[in-house]
Amino acid sequence: MIRRRLPSITCVCSHFLRTKPISSPLQNLHLQSLQCSAPISKNGSFWFQGIRAYSLLSLNDLRDNVPRKQKTRKGRGIGSGKGKTAGRGHKGQKARGNGKLGFEGGQTPMRRRLPKRGFKNPFSLTFQPVGLGKIAKLINAGKIDSHELITMKTLKDAGAIGKQIEDGVRLMGRGSEQIKWPIHLEVSRVTVRAKEAVEAAGGSVRRVHYNKLGFRALLKPEWFEKKGRLLPKPARPPPKLKDKVDSIGRLPAPTKPIPFFTEEEPISSPA
């Protein structure tokens, strides 16, 4: 394609440089269709008249974007070289269907030769941490009412925790110096520093237990209403978690805290 276009380009360049073009058999055939006139000087520049424009690309050179190497079609006759046995030879295990994944001919496979390392605890719980400083900023911004009980649903609605929450919330002591007024919280877990800071300000923190279904009902009660279902009953903590929680979680989300009672202060019965 380039050889067909080369003579026309050479002719134009020779007129502009006032040099004699290189003669070749291909050029002589092509110069018959090229009509060039003498250059005309206009304002110090040369203009050519009657030059036929040529491009390096023409319509008859266009073709589809096909791959250079076509896919081999096996089993389509002996003329292709991959017919009959399709390159697998005669009989044998490799001439038939695919073998079992990980099968190594009878020897101990790799998955059994390597030792086991570690384990995954199916009873592990993942809690999302929330600092006291973040809660204080939301209270100052008016997104959380400090006069009401702050539950995990309150934290979710205010944006303190995201959608990646799994089993509950752990209250951390980051920014505890910003808590200067009493607040009451209900979370899954709490650190010692955070509990001391809240109680020093006159508030309280209660560790409550929710199972998977109960925690979902706490955060998204509208889902049960949409499905026409009742909220599940609060679940009791398993024996191993009784020492890590203070009470059973309440449904729906409560608005008033439950006061703590000690053994020295018995509950007074109403008169």
Side-chain angles (χ1 to χ4, degrees), residues 35-208:
Q35 299 176 0
C36 298
S37 60
I40 301 175
S41 177
K42 181 183 288 187
N43 297 329
S45 61
F46 291 93
W47 295 81
F48 297 93
Q49 296 179 351
I51 298 179
R52 185 178 176 183
Y54 282 87
S55 173
L56 296 177
L57 183 65
S58 59
L59 293 177
N60 60 333
D61 294 326
L62 298 178
R63 59 178 59 90
D64 294 337
N65 187 16
V66 295
R68 297 182 60 184
K69 185 175 182 180
Q70 299 291 341
K71 181 181 178 180
T72 303
R73 301 174 70 238
K74 298 181 179 180
R76 296 298 184 270
I78 60 176
S80 63
K82 294 293 182 181
K84 191 184 174 183
T85 56
R88 293 192 175 193
H90 292 276
K91 300 183 180 180
Q93 185 183 23
K94 295 183 179 180
R96 293 173 173 85
N98 297 328
K100 184 179 178 181
L101 182 64
F103 181 69
E104 300 182 9
Q107 69 178 9
T108 306
M110 181 67 70
R111 59 182 175 83
R112 292 179 58 191
R113 292 200 301 266
L114 297 178
K116 295 181 180 179
R117 300 294 183 188
F119 75 103
K120 183 177 180 181
N121 186 7
F123 305 104
S124 63
L125 301 175
T126 304
F127 302 106
Q128 185 173 355
V130 176
L132 289 175
K134 192 171 187 179
I135 297 177
K137 290 181 180 179
L138 294 174
I139 293 176
N140 294 331
K143 296 183 178 181
I144 295 179
D145 188 3
S146 61
H147 300 287
E148 295 184 357
L149 177 64
I150 301 176
T151 61
M152 290 180 280
K153 178 175 175 53
T154 308
L155 297 176
K156 183 178 181 300
D157 296 340
I161 55 179
K163 297 181 179 180
Q164 65 275 17
I165 183 172
E166 296 183 11
D167 299 314
V169 176
R170 184 189 300 274
L171 185 63
M172 310 295 289
R174 295 191 297 264
S176 58
E177 64 278 357
Q178 302 181 21
I179 300 296
K180 300 178 181 179
W181 55 88
I183 57 176
H184 303 279
L185 301 100
E186 281 191 1
V187 292
S188 301
R189 299 291 186 273
V190 59
T191 61
V192 177
R193 178 186 173 189
K195 187 175 182 179
E196 292 177 353
V198 173
E199 292 178 351
S204 63
V205 181
R206 180 178 290 273
R207 300 172 298 176
V208 293

